[in-house]
Amino acid sequence: MRAVDVVSFAYRAFAGHRVRTVLLFVAMAIGVGSVVVLTTLGEGARSYVVGQFSSLGTNLLIILPGRSETVGGPPPLLGITPRDLTLEDAEALLHIRGIRYSAPIIVGAAPLSRADREREVTVLGSTSHLYHIRKLQMAYGRFLPEDEALRQAAVCILGHKTKTELFGSDPALGQSLRIGEYRFRVIGVLAPMGESLGMDMSDVVIIPVASAQSLFNTSSMFRIIVEADSREIMDRAKNAVLRTIKLRHEGEDDVTVVSQDAVLATFDKIFTVLTLAVASIGAISIAVAGILIMNVMLIVVSQRRAEIGLLKALGATRQQIIVLFLTEAIIVSSIGSAFGVLLARGSVWGIEKLFPILPLQIPLWSLAVAVAIALMVGVVFAVLPAINAAKLDPVVALSRR
Amino acid sequence: MISLEKICRSFTVGDEKVHALRDIDLRVSDGEYISIMGPSGSGKSTLLNMIGLLDRPDSGTYRIGDEDVTLLSDRRQAEVRCHRIGFIFQFFHLVSRMTASENIELPMILAGMEPKQRRGKVEEAVEAFGLADRASHRPDQLSGGQRQRVAIARATVMQPEILLADEPTGNLDSTSGMDVINILERLNGDGITLIMVTHDHSLGRRATRQLTMVDGRIERDTVPSLSSAPGS
Ligand SMILES: Nc1ncnc2c1ncn2[C@@H]1O[C@H](COP(=O)(O)OP(=O)(O)OP(=O)(O)O)[C@@H](O)[C@H]1O
Ligand SMILES: [Mg+2]
């Protein structure tokens, strides 16, 4: 039999039975679609949670001046006040391996005024590192410049809410305003964002740390936040931070390093559960899809036993029949899977529109697995009964008993 | 030449064994015109299926020429069905999704024939069986007589030496039945060996050799004196 004829026979076989073919396509599409959509949802939920936790700062260390009681050891002697945290301390922490960002922070309240409007705001003095550590995003303009941390540049970045209250819908970039006694130029506005690390980042003004030092007339930092490269090195990083500060503070253990241990532990548990859940959802939907496709295939092919008998009576060999059904199954399963992929894309798109908060991205592995399973089940359960029917004597296959 | 020796075939239905064919001996020469008659359940269809290689005997030997065809591999058996035997069923067994000409083309496709050659043969057959204006119709758009003519065209398009027909007029009115018989007899006139199962005695009597089956045996094997002797 010629290859062209095999394909055209197979094509006519499913094109000629509309209802049956549509049924098959629907089964395949639902099978593939549900696997992809469910795993996409699972993955979306997982990455949403991961995102939420990482915005909580799971790989951040917060260095506070003074030693908290929980560290143990003798209580600080009277007369020895803890040394201040300095800008240089923050710089020094950057030399620790695995620590990429180190943001010194000065916090204070100051009156903010522009033209006739004045209000009290939280002022954050920091460096460009804060941008990475707090995963900030700009609505307009830019953040603090990289290398001007130590310079008293008269520039500021406004939180989204602060900007709106001060400027309304007028552009703020390039405008100047007063904080306390000083004049600052607006170089950027933060994108709207929620709370992070217990601070409302939409209602702040951020200025260079050196400017904050003069504004509040202090040299000491409120705290230093450092970010480690990964969660795995948190313990090592914490020890290294303590050692570095101790060296710089003449052997005194006078800082407290806080990591979000409880958050981290919870995060790990939730992460494990979520991963398991996503995997189970995937496995179950794959099993369900497989059984669905298998059943439809079995019904369809058993309906065609008589046709197989006829083909044999007309001189088809067993091998020819298997090739014919295999070809047909491959074509049908491929088209069905393609519909499934379209269905999945459509559904994911719809869900995204409904719940924009969920970060949805179809995982490639789920597409691959879903299509592979559909093809495999579709082909196997079309061809197995065909092989069985092809083994029968034509008269048995022909009779509909 | 066809020869069957001690062919037995039985079916097990529940606990019971039904002997559809008991020790059948039969020799058929090339070009014969044979009718098989007999009561329902006497094994006529089973015998015809056996000859058409649609069924397999429990015991006995079946030869076409010198070849014991029951021993052939699946592939060789398919070849024999394809090239040497044409089979016509009472219920036509056309492929419903294919047009008349596509049905006729089917055996040639299975045989791997060139499309060009196929088209020529289909055209010839369509012409010869009076289906020219129905060639692109599907079976459900055809009358019973037309369907059976398509089936005959399909059975003969590979130019087999043996044509088997199991009650080919069983589902037709007498006019289209006669049409079909005329076609079959014309093919026999061209040299094909024709074996036809029928319930209709008036049709059966037209054959040059008449077999009567009863209970799995060939009860009578007559060659009416008017026609020429078989086996010549
Ligand atoms: N596949 C089968 N399974 C069980 N029994 C069968 C099968 N095929 C035939 N038989 C039995 O074998 C016997 C002969 O059947 P066959 O079809 O050859 O009869 P027939 O002479 O063609 O009858 P009819 O004139 O009704 O077509 C019957 O008793 C029938 O019930
Ligand atoms: Mg019968």
Side-chain angles (χ1 to χ4, degrees), chain B residues 28-89:
Chain B
V28 180
S29 308
D30 293 342
E32 273 196 275
Y33 177 12
I34 299 178
S35 66
I36 305 178
M37 289 176 284
S40 183
S42 56
K44 307 181 294 290
S45 294
T46 310
L47 177 59
L48 206 67
N49 291 339
M50 205 62 73
I51 298 172
L53 284 179
L54 305 187
D55 201 355
R56 205 181 294 269
D58 299 331
S59 62
T61 49
Y62 167 27
R63 288 195 179 83
I64 298 180
D66 293 328
E67 205 164 26
D68 186 342
V69 286
T70 51
L71 298 179
L72 295 178
S73 66
D74 173 74
R75 179 184 291 273
R76 298 290 312 282
Q77 275 200 354
E79 228 164 76
V80 174
R81 286 188 208 109
C82 187
H83 292 278
R84 308 182 69 174
I85 300 172
F87 208 106
I88 299 161
F89 306 88

Side-chain angles (χ1 to χ4, degrees), chain A residues 132-379:
Chain A
H132 305 284
I133 286 178
R134 296 303 263 289
K135 311 220 178 325
L136 300 175
Q137 275 173 353
M138 305 306 296
Y140 315 102
R142 54 196 177 89
F143 198 71
L144 295 175
E146 286 284 345
D147 42 328
E148 293 185 24
L150 304 177
R151 221 164 59 78
Q152 288 190 41
V155 294
C156 70
I157 285 94
L158 300 182
H160 202 260
K161 195 171 149 199
T162 317
K163 184 260 163 188
T164 314
E165 291 192 350
L166 226 54
F167 292 92
S169 54
D170 299 341
L173 283 190
Q175 302 292 323
S176 67
L177 40 71
R178 295 187 77 83
I179 304 173
E181 298 301 304
Y182 297 83
R183 192 164 264 293
F184 286 86
R185 190 167 51 87
V186 179
I187 59 166
V189 177
L190 295 179
M193 65 180 294
E195 263 185 31
S196 99
L197 294 173
M199 184 173 287
D200 184 0
M201 293 299 285
S202 69
D203 199 10
V204 290
V205 175
I206 300 170
I207 59 177
V209 67
S211 310
Q213 282 178 317
S214 7
L215 179 66
F216 296 117
N217 192 23
T218 173
S219 64
S220 67
M221 298 297 123
F222 173 66
R223 60 183 54 171
I224 299 171
I225 304 181
V226 300
E227 182 181 312
D229 283 343
S230 70
R231 293 228 310 89
E232 287 72 44
I233 62 165
M234 289 298 277
D235 281 339
R236 195 176 61 69
K238 187 173 177 177
N239 289 332
V241 165
L242 280 170
R243 243 182 293 118
T244 308
I245 300 283
K246 190 174 173 178
L247 261 178
R248 294 182 51 80
H249 290 193
E250 290 139 12
E252 291 293 339
D253 254 332
D254 58 1
V255 293
T256 304
V257 177
V258 177
S259 64
Q260 315 211 23
D261 285 333
V263 179
L264 291 184
T266 316
F267 171 82
D268 286 340
K269 265 187 231 152
I270 293 180
F271 189 81
T272 314
V273 170
L274 270 175
T275 307
L276 277 177
V278 171
S280 326
I281 290 172
I284 291 170
S285 58
I286 285 167
V288 171
I291 290 168
L292 177 72
I293 296 169
M294 176 182 90
N295 277 305
V296 175
M297 272 297 181
L298 284 178
I299 293 168
V300 165
V301 177
S302 67
Q303 281 175 347
R304 295 178 62 185
R305 225 172 80 155
E307 184 183 326
I308 293 177
L310 174 69
L311 288 176
K312 283 203 85 170
L314 292 180
T317 62
R318 204 179 300 167
Q319 197 195 337
Q320 278 178 332
I321 287 167
I322 294 169
V323 168
L324 285 175
F325 275 75
L326 183 69
T327 310
E328 187 184 331
I330 290 174
I331 298 179
V332 169
S333 303
S334 309
I335 297 178
S337 314
F339 278 130
V341 172
L342 286 183
L343 181 73
R345 295 201 135 239
S347 315
V348 167
W349 182 83
I351 295 169
E352 253 176 349
K353 283 273 164 288
L354 279 179
F355 308 102
I357 193 174
L358 264 186
L360 288 186
Q361 180 146 40
I362 296 178
L364 267 187
W365 65 265
S366 95
L367 268 187
V369 169
V371 169
I373 295 277
L375 283 180
M376 208 176 68
V377 174
V379 168

